Structure formats: structure tokens, C-alpha cells
Amino acid sequence: DVKVTQSSRYLVKRTGEKVFLECVQDMDHENMFWYRQDPGLGLRLIYFSYDVKMKEKGDIPEGYSVSREKKERFSLILESASTNQTSMYLCASSAPMGRRPPLHFGNGTRLTVT
Amino acid sequence: TQLLEQSPQFLSIQEGENLTVYCNSSSVFSSLQWYRQEPGEGPVLLVTVVTGGEVKKLKRLTFQFGDARKDSSLHITAAQPGDTGLYLCAGAPINNAGNMLTFGGGTRLMVKP
């Protein structure tokens, strides 16, 4: 089974702090994604990566950046956390999109910014 | 306004009842997926539908893709408490060059024993 592991289940950070969310997958997937999940809004794509060192903006990239130095690891960075970034963050991976593969999600990181 | 609108947003029913969840859009999708998310976990894929009019069954769950590939439904027969969770539809818009998935807002289902 594909395993996507997010390093933290819960994080509490202060406004203005730099925050790192880490995600590792063990299935050699090319694609990795970061979503945020807010009630009633479903999942919104922040950034995705289809290869090492490659990244593409999703629907809501403002205030975020990402890093993919190794194929199995995709990091989400909040350069200066703000209260409106309090949310559930979900990492996912998949095989190449052309074959309509499923997304495999981690269990999420619930971030609270105070 | 979301590209994919799910209804209802919340549903609380008794064990044994039937229910239908809807996922609607004005856009055409090359495929549509349904996920279920349980508390404390990430979403897990239930099914992918790709052909207009397609019907897929997964035990007591029946998924249908609209003929025009703009909408989908999930019907659960004789719901069980184990069906409790957040149901998310996700589609790949046909006019999206990157073929990225867009998610609906979700339907939160609670099945009471």
C-alpha cells in the first residue's frame, strides 16, 4: 500500500513565524501535492510538483512556497504565518496524471496560527 | 462559487435508510472521482468514473456519471454507521491543460445506529 506520511498531526505557531510542513511518500510517485481543507470549501490546491525541483502554483499559492529536493519528499513552507492560514493541510501523491490515477493522501496536519 | 457543487452539505440519517449525494457543475469533466474521508485521516478513493452515463457499484454504494459528464451522484442503500464520513467528489475539467483535480465542498454524512 502507498504510504504518505506527514511529519506532524498538530502544530501551533505564532503569527509571523516561518513554518515547515513535511511530507514523504514511499511509492516512487512523480506527482506530489499540497492542499488545504476548510469546512464547506473542500480541498483547495496550493502547489504541486511533477518532478524533483519542479513546482507549479495551484489555486491558492499566495503566502506559501514549496521545496522538492528529493522525489519522495515535498515540503510546504509558510514564510510568515498568518491567522488566515489556520487550516488542515493535506499532502498527496500520485502516478502521472495521464492515466487518471488516484490521489493518495496523508492524514493531514492541523495548523493553528495564533 | 465552486466549480463543483455538492449537495447536501450535511446529512444525518438512521441506520438502514437510503440516501443520495449530488455533485454538479456547469463544466465538463474528463473523469470524476469520489473520495471518503474519516475523522483524523486523509481522503481515500472510492471510485473513478470516466464515461458519460457510466454506473459503478461498490457493495451498497452506486456511483453514476452524468451523460454530459457535468455531474455525478452517489447513492447508498441501507446505510450503516460505518458509512459515516465526509464524501468528496473531484473532477478533472476537460479544458484544464494540466488535468488537475478540482474538489467539491464535500457532504458530511452521519449514520446513527
Side-chain angles (χ1 to χ4, degrees), chain A residues 41-60:
Chain A
L41 296 179
L43 277 66
R44 292 180 291 167
L45 182 63
I46 305 171
Y47 266 96
F48 67 97
S49 169
Y50 52 87
D51 204 350
V52 175
K53 296 191 185 295
M54 305 301 287
K55 61 184 179 183
E56 295 285 343
K57 293 180 180 179
D59 299 320
I60 51 164

Side-chain angles (χ1 to χ4, degrees), chain B:
Chain B
T1 304
Q2 289 189 282
L3 191 60
L4 274 170
E5 296 286 342
Q6 282 189 244
S7 62
Q9 285 191 37
F10 301 97
L11 194 53
S12 180
I13 60 172
Q14 293 294 135
E15 182 176 0
E17 290 185 27
N18 301 332
L19 67 119
T20 302
V21 175
Y22 299 94
C23 177
N24 295 308
S25 178
S26 56
S27 298
V28 178
F29 294 92
S30 60
S31 65
L32 198 135
Q33 298 178 335
W34 284 92
Y35 290 80
R36 179 169 66 210
Q37 184 178 19
E38 298 185 20
E41 299 182 6
V44 176
L45 181 72
L46 295 173
V47 77
T48 300
V49 286
V50 300
T51 307
E54 183 176 2
V55 176
K56 281 192 174 179
K57 292 196 173 188
L58 188 66
K59 296 184 181 177
R60 292 175 294 99
L61 278 60
T62 301
F63 303 85
Q64 184 160 8
F65 201 12
D67 291 341
R69 290 185 293 155
K70 292 183 178 181
D71 52 81
S72 181
S73 64
L74 158 59
H75 182 79
I76 302 179
T77 304
Q80 303 292 310
D83 297 326
T84 293
L86 178 68
Y87 289 82
L88 294 157
C89 65
I94 204 163
N95 60 355
N96 184 327
N99 209 28
M100 299 305 300
L101 285 178
T102 188
F103 281 81
T107 294
R108 190 166 294 282
L109 171 66
M110 177 174 288
V111 182
K112 293 179 279 189

